[in-house]
């Protein structure tokens, strides 16, 4: 199993208009726990107004069999943000 730590950068507290940025990833049987362990400290590191708008999410990606030439990657928007 692979788990991606995603940062949802949202324009306001409704979280309806967000950009997704991959922050980190883990693989293995404890990947979800490893990801979940870092979310509270990363959320706490955000300023209070940013905690209202942005959030960290652990997303599980199943390790399904893929053809050898197929590389599956999540789609991310490459932008620079200031928090």
């Amino acid at each position: 199993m692979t788990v991606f730590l995603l940062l949802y950068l949202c324009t306001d507290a409704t979280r309806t208009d967000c950009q997704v940025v991959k922050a980190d990833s883990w693989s293995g049987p404890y990947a979800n726990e490893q990801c979940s362990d870092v979310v509270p400290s990363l959320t706490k590191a955000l300023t209070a107004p940013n905690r209202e708008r942005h959030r960290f999410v652990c997303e599980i990606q199943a390790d399904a069999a893929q053809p050898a030439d197929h590389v599956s990657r999540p789609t991310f928007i490459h932008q620079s943000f200031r928090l």
Side-chain angles (χ1 to χ4, degrees):
M1 161 177 34
T2 300
V3 177
F4 292 106
L5 174 63
L6 304 176
L7 171 58
Y8 283 78
L9 295 167
C10 306
T11 57
D12 59 34
T14 64
R15 295 183 178 159
T16 56
D17 182 23
C18 303
Q19 301 292 322
V20 181
V21 178
K22 178 183 169 189
D24 208 340
S25 64
W26 294 266
S27 295
Y30 303 106
N32 195 40
E33 289 84 357
Q34 291 171 317
C35 183
S36 297
D37 287 346
V38 301
V39 169
S41 62
L42 292 173
T43 301
K44 186 177 177 181
L46 295 173
T47 62
N50 283 335
R51 273 185 235 128
E52 301 274 329
R53 293 182 295 175
H54 312 312
R55 65 184 171 133
F56 289 95
V57 175
C58 295
E59 183 176 299
I60 298 171
Q61 299 290 315
D63 291 336
Q66 299 282 341
D69 61 340
H70 178 77
V71 177
S72 177
R73 293 188 181 170
T75 303
F76 299 107
I77 296 170
H78 299 284
Q79 294 182 354
S80 176
F81 296 94
R82 282 190 167 167
L83 299 178

